[in-house]
Amino acid sequence: MDALEGLLPRFSVRQAVYTRVEGYAPWGLNLFAYLHTKFGIVTEGCCHVDLKDGAAPVRLERGSCYLLPRGDAYRLRDSPDGSADAFEDAMNHIEGRTLRWGGDGARTTVIGGCFIFADESYPLVLDLLPQLVHFKVSEQELSALESTMRLLENEVVQPSPGSLAMLNRLADIFFIQTLRAYL
């Protein structure tokens, strides 16, 4: 048994909540803190992420992923010093699961959201990770992550018998895929 398999039975993801953000330069979003592990995958373009703690923003491009294991507040922007609007205000403009935000410049697409764990808090093992984890995935891993997100979206948009069970299991799979890609 590998180390990841040893950890997985101890916790499970109850739900993966996500939004597809299509940011058009100039754009930026401030996301508040809450006790769920946040994630993002850049599928097109590039952007910058930072924790608003004075550390330099991290540049993310297609295939880049980020995790905020403890749900810290953060900013996601098209440029490292750009302004950012409150995500809650931007959500008033969401259509389905897609938020189109910003100006009329270059587009960046980020699938972002959070993992809600079965016991309503994040697993303590995630305390071993830094506040902001960022990594690049291969094209194959990116394709697999996008496929899982499409399956999740299909279950949300077109629920059928067993959809809740499917959503819970797909959320687990997505979390495992993300951890595997990071490790």
Side-chain angles (χ1 to χ4, degrees):
M1 176 186 325
D2 64 44
L4 187 55
E5 285 179 13
L7 293 173
L8 294 177
R10 296 192 180 116
F11 58 87
S12 65
V13 177
R14 187 185 76 215
Q15 185 178 7
V17 178
Y18 66 94
T19 302
R20 175 188 168 95
V21 174
E22 293 179 4
Y24 295 86
W27 68 276
L29 295 168
N30 265 319
L31 294 102
F32 61 87
Y34 52 91
L35 194 59
H36 297 300
T37 297
K38 299 175 184 177
F39 68 86
I41 305 163
V42 179
T43 60
E44 175 185 17
C46 66
C47 61
H48 296 81
V49 62
D50 70 277
L51 292 173
K52 302 187 275 186
D53 61 359
V58 175
R59 179 181 164 85
L60 304 171
E61 55 193 36
R62 177 177 163 75
S64 295
C65 295
Y66 63 87
L67 285 173
L68 291 104
R70 292 170 288 289
D72 294 302
Y74 71 105
R75 271 187 301 236
L76 198 58
R77 304 176 283 180
D78 69 305
S79 67
D81 57 354
S83 63
D85 300 305
F87 183 70
E88 299 74 33
D89 294 340
M91 288 300 288
N92 292 325
H93 302 278
I94 196 166
E95 297 173 20
R97 288 254 175 232
T98 301
L99 171 63
R100 290 173 184 86
W101 194 250
D104 57 3
R107 180 171 78 178
T108 298
T109 304
V110 180
I111 299 171
C114 69
F115 297 114
I116 300 172
F117 294 97
D119 64 359
E120 291 295 326
S121 64
Y122 70 93
L124 295 179
V125 70
L126 295 179
D127 279 338
L128 301 174
L129 298 174
Q131 281 182 283
L132 172 62
V133 176
H134 56 92
F135 54 96
K136 183 107 168 150
V137 297
S138 68
E139 282 298 318
Q140 182 179 355
E141 290 168 321
L142 181 59
S143 177
L145 287 164
E146 288 176 320
S147 293
T148 304
M149 289 307 296
R150 279 192 297 276
L151 289 170
L152 279 163
E153 184 174 21
N154 187 54
E155 289 299 325
V156 169
V157 173
Q158 298 174 2
S160 56
S163 281
L164 182 58
M166 280 287 288
L167 286 168
N168 291 344
R169 284 167 180 82
L170 286 168
D172 269 342
I173 289 168
F174 185 71
F175 182 69
I176 293 165
Q177 286 175 309
T178 305
L179 282 181
R180 182 191 308 169
Y182 169 66
L183 293 173

